[in-house]
């Protein structure tokens, strides 16, 4: 891990729209410029879907957009089911150990993105544990105490904690991002990819087309570079 004095500017910011539950939202997010589309397989989440719905939603995504299956401590049966879907990337958002991450990656043959929750500087040491086994990292805010799910809680962490830092793997920034603050978050952290869910919704799992487009536009604006 290294730190630079200032974040690098990125001409193109990649955006992940997560928690998709409707075909029309999949198509709109892709048309608006999303690089990743996220589907949640975690029943406590109001955005959770089943395998049959996921098949339909993933098939609605155009070629070239990365279809991401979000799981939390998945068992082997779910991992096998996700492998049989047209999944491009597995997102592990639970307490999976580095060994479990490596096992899932090996048995599916799919790239894996490991989410790591940040609350303070001490949490940054967790990132190094997963760099050797994950293909990508998702740097997210730690959930508040008592939360029933590890992400999608609409809270952020102090972005200055990772300002100018670089890791060996590609990474996405998540946690409390909105159309109003994403450009500032990118400016402070140097992130070249961001993840959003609840702030672009009109209801849990129902994406608002104007908010989705506004988020992608703000992330990719000159202000973010």
């Amino acid at each position: 891990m290294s730190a630079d004095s200032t974040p690098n500017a990125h001409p193109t910011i990649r955006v992940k729209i997560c928690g998709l539950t409707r075909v029309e939202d999949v198509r709109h997010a892709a048309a608006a410029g999303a690089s990743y589309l996220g589907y949640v397989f975690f029943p406590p989440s109001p955005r959770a879907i089943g395998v049959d719905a996921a098949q339909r939603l993933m098939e609605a995504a155009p070629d070239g957009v990365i279809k991401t299956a979000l799981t939390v401590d998945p068992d082997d049966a779910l991992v096998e089911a996700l492998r049989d879907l047209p999944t491009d990337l597995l997102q592990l958002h639970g307490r999976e150990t580095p060994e479990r991450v490596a096992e899932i990656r090996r048995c599916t043959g799919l790239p894996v993105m490991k989410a790591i929750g940040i609350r303070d500087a001490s949490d940054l040491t967790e990132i190094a544990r997963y760099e050797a086994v994950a293909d990508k990292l998702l740097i997210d805010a730690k959930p508040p105490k008592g939360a029933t799910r590890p992400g999608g809680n609409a809270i952020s962490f102090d972005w200055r904690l990772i300002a100018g830092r670089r890791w060996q793997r590609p990474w996405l920034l998540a946690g409390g991002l909105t159309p109003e603050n994403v450009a500032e978050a990118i400016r402070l952290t140097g992130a070249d990819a961001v993840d959003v869910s609840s702030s672009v919704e009109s209801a849990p799992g129902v994406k608002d087309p104007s908010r989705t487009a506004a988020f992608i536009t703000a992330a990719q604006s000159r202000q973010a570079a």
Side-chain angles (χ1 to χ4, degrees):
M1 184 186 304
S2 64
D4 301 321
S5 57
T6 57
N8 292 333
H10 299 281
T12 302
I13 304 297
R14 291 163 296 149
V15 175
K16 176 171 173 275
I17 304 297
C18 198
L20 293 157
T21 65
R22 306 190 307 168
V23 167
E24 57 263 45
D25 295 339
V26 168
R27 290 172 175 160
H28 180 269
S35 298
Y36 301 81
L37 301 175
Y39 309 91
V40 177
F41 298 84
F42 183 57
S45 170
R47 302 167 186 89
I49 58 173
V51 171
D52 290 343
Q55 181 78 39
R56 184 176 70 257
L57 291 166
M58 288 184 175
E59 288 176 350
D63 292 341
V65 179
I66 299 171
K67 299 176 290 294
T68 307
L70 186 160
T71 67
V72 179
D73 300 309
D75 59 20
D76 290 343
L78 177 56
V79 168
E80 183 174 345
L82 297 179
R83 182 187 60 189
D84 292 337
L85 290 171
T87 307
D88 298 314
L89 178 67
L90 293 176
Q91 178 176 330
L92 303 179
H93 217 111
R95 297 183 178 181
E96 302 89 0
T97 64
E99 292 76 19
R100 179 60 172 161
V101 172
E103 179 186 11
I104 290 172
R105 186 175 184 271
R106 183 174 58 253
C107 74
T108 62
L110 291 169
V112 172
M113 177 165 66
K114 180 66 180 85
I116 299 166
I118 304 296
R119 182 176 295 129
D120 54 46
S122 66
D123 295 318
L124 297 176
T125 59
E126 282 293 289
I127 296 172
R129 298 180 62 220
Y130 292 94
E131 283 187 289
V133 294
D135 297 276
K136 296 178 185 291
L137 303 169
L138 181 76
I139 311 302
D140 198 358
K142 263 190 176 178
K145 291 183 179 180
T148 59
R149 54 187 189 269
N153 293 293
I155 60 173
S156 61
F157 63 94
D158 184 352
W159 298 319
R160 293 171 296 181
L161 290 172
I162 61 170
R165 291 181 180 268
R166 296 293 176 267
W167 294 284
Q168 299 173 19
R169 300 294 185 185
W171 62 282
L172 287 76
L173 177 67
L177 298 177
T178 70
E180 294 76 25
N181 69 16
V182 65
E184 178 68 2
I186 292 168
R187 186 187 70 79
L188 285 174
T189 64
D192 64 4
V194 291
D195 185 322
V196 69
S197 181
S198 60
S199 79
V200 296
E201 293 180 334
S202 57
V206 178
K207 303 307 179 191
D208 181 285
S210 61
R211 295 281 294 173
T212 299
F215 184 91
I216 294 172
T217 297
Q220 296 177 343
S221 70
R222 290 181 179 273
Q223 296 173 353

